[in-house]
Amino acid sequence: MMREKNHEEQLKDFFSQHPVDNPQYLKRYVKQHPNNKMAWYLLGREYAAQGKQGKALYCFTQAGEVYEAFEEQAAPVIPEMEADASASGAATRKRWGPLFWFRALVAAVAAVLLLLYIPPAPTPADSGNDAQIKTSPPPAQLKETKVYYIAKEKTKENVGAALQEILVKEQISSYSILVQGQPTPDGRYIDWLKPPTVLLSVEGKADTAQKNIQYHDALSCDCQPTEPLKPLSILTPWLAQQEQELVLHSSLQAFYSRYGKLPQAPGELNRPYPDNVLPGLTPYMEERFQQSAESMLAEIAGKPAEAAALPAGASGAPLLTKPLSEPLRIIVDKTAHRLALVSGNVIIRNYPVGLGGDKTPVGEYAISEKVRNPNGKSNGEFGSRGMTLSDTLYAIHGTNKPSSVGKDESHGCIRMLQQDVEELFDMAPMGTKVTIGSGLLPEGIERSGNPFQMPLFSEETNPNKVYKWLD
């Protein structure tokens, strides 16, 4: 007489036979149905089971509230066991606790219904100039979350001292995450686009003794680290918001430098050419405008609301640091043929550029003019965007000769590929400082998989001028 299969075995059979458990099937499906958050959640689970945490994190972010519903109240530790192969060669499901299996069954059934009954999502129309930064809804606690970067090597001693800073001097009462940024190959910068290493997280409580501390990095503790699924799910939207905060902060400072005062309303940053500091503002930036302006006023008065570096440890060097606390600036490296958008020691983007060898000047400049479709063309010799450097004939602009990028074929200007110059145009406000020199940057290229794009509120074309940059 055959033994009746238990609950877990029945679930294994279901997962092994049904296409929703096939990552390739789910990958194709989410491309066709990008709004199906349950499918994103299941694909993220597949990647997590394979140890592909970066891809899993992206999927969980797309899943939004579905991920929160299934994960937010669960313990952050999800025990795993090694997967073995069956006789047919197919890998079996990793074993999880009863709570996961219950949720997985509900998720699988819901996903099957969605896959069967939801019609294909329409192909998004080209939003053109009205496109906005798209991010999944962040967790409800995102606004209360604090993220700290450790400024020293992640030894147990340094991490312990940083934790002490967070618990005692910061006196946190919300969710906090301690991370270490990924350095560039030359060690001179932190690479913003490479996910930071999550070292630990703290569930804040009013009573310090009741705070729940979770270590997520084996080198940071004498313990078995837990999976950082919860802090990673928060980090992704946090990183996107920090970019918007940085662009807004940089724009306010540029406006103040240009006019000697701060804007009274968000729209003053989006005036028509030639006063177009930014093309527009995202909804998040509009929401943060007043608070950012107040913070800028405090800085101008010599009383920064939040220091870039938190109190120093015993050695005198800061243990914790706040990334993206300095305004955006542009660095052009003539040797590496790179243009980077940086904040302090953090590289936000690093693009390949075409230069003119000795014809490209060395020195300090600033963006003095921003124009969309110079000379009325988006595909002319200057491409779809142009940024004049300090009222000279030198500019950062696009090109209709993309093969020249990475070479010295211009007459002195800085040529960029279309998608790169359009992102830079949206991120770098009028007045951004530009440094041109040699040996300043790593050679790597750092682009975002989700390019920064502003909605267009301003008229940024200039049909009354014929541009004669040195190309």
Side-chain angles (χ1 to χ4, degrees), residues 14-15 18-23 25-26 42-43 46 108 111-112 115:
F14 174 84
F15 280 124
H18 204 278
V20 297
D21 190 42
N22 184 327
Y25 179 88
L26 283 172
L42 290 177
L43 181 57
E46 285 300 318
V112 172
L115 296 179

Side-chain angles (χ1 to χ4, degrees), residues 26-41 58-59 61-64 118-124 136:
L26 283 172
K27 282 175 65 177
R28 291 194 300 270
Y29 185 80
V30 295
K31 286 182 180 179
Q32 298 172 354
H33 307 82
N35 296 322
N36 189 331
K37 297 186 177 183
M38 185 63 74
W40 278 112
Y41 174 76
Y58 177 80
C59 294
T61 302
Q62 301 304 314
I118 291 184
T123 302
S136 298

Side-chain angles (χ1 to χ4, degrees), residues 53 57 147-150 152-154 159 177-183 190-201 214-220 225-226 228 231-232 235 239:
Q53 296 300 334
L57 171 58
V147 178
Y148 300 93
Y149 274 59
I150 188 169
K152 292 187 175 183
E153 185 182 357
K154 60 170 185 177
V159 171
I177 306 169
L178 178 65
V179 303
Q180 183 177 57
Q182 300 297 323
I190 292 174
D191 191 331
W192 178 251
L193 291 180
K194 284 190 170 58
T197 300
V198 180
L199 304 180
L200 60 85
S201 57
Q214 298 275 347
Y215 283 89
H216 307 293
D217 180 73
L219 298 179
S220 303
T226 63
L232 285 175
L235 267 178
L239 291 169

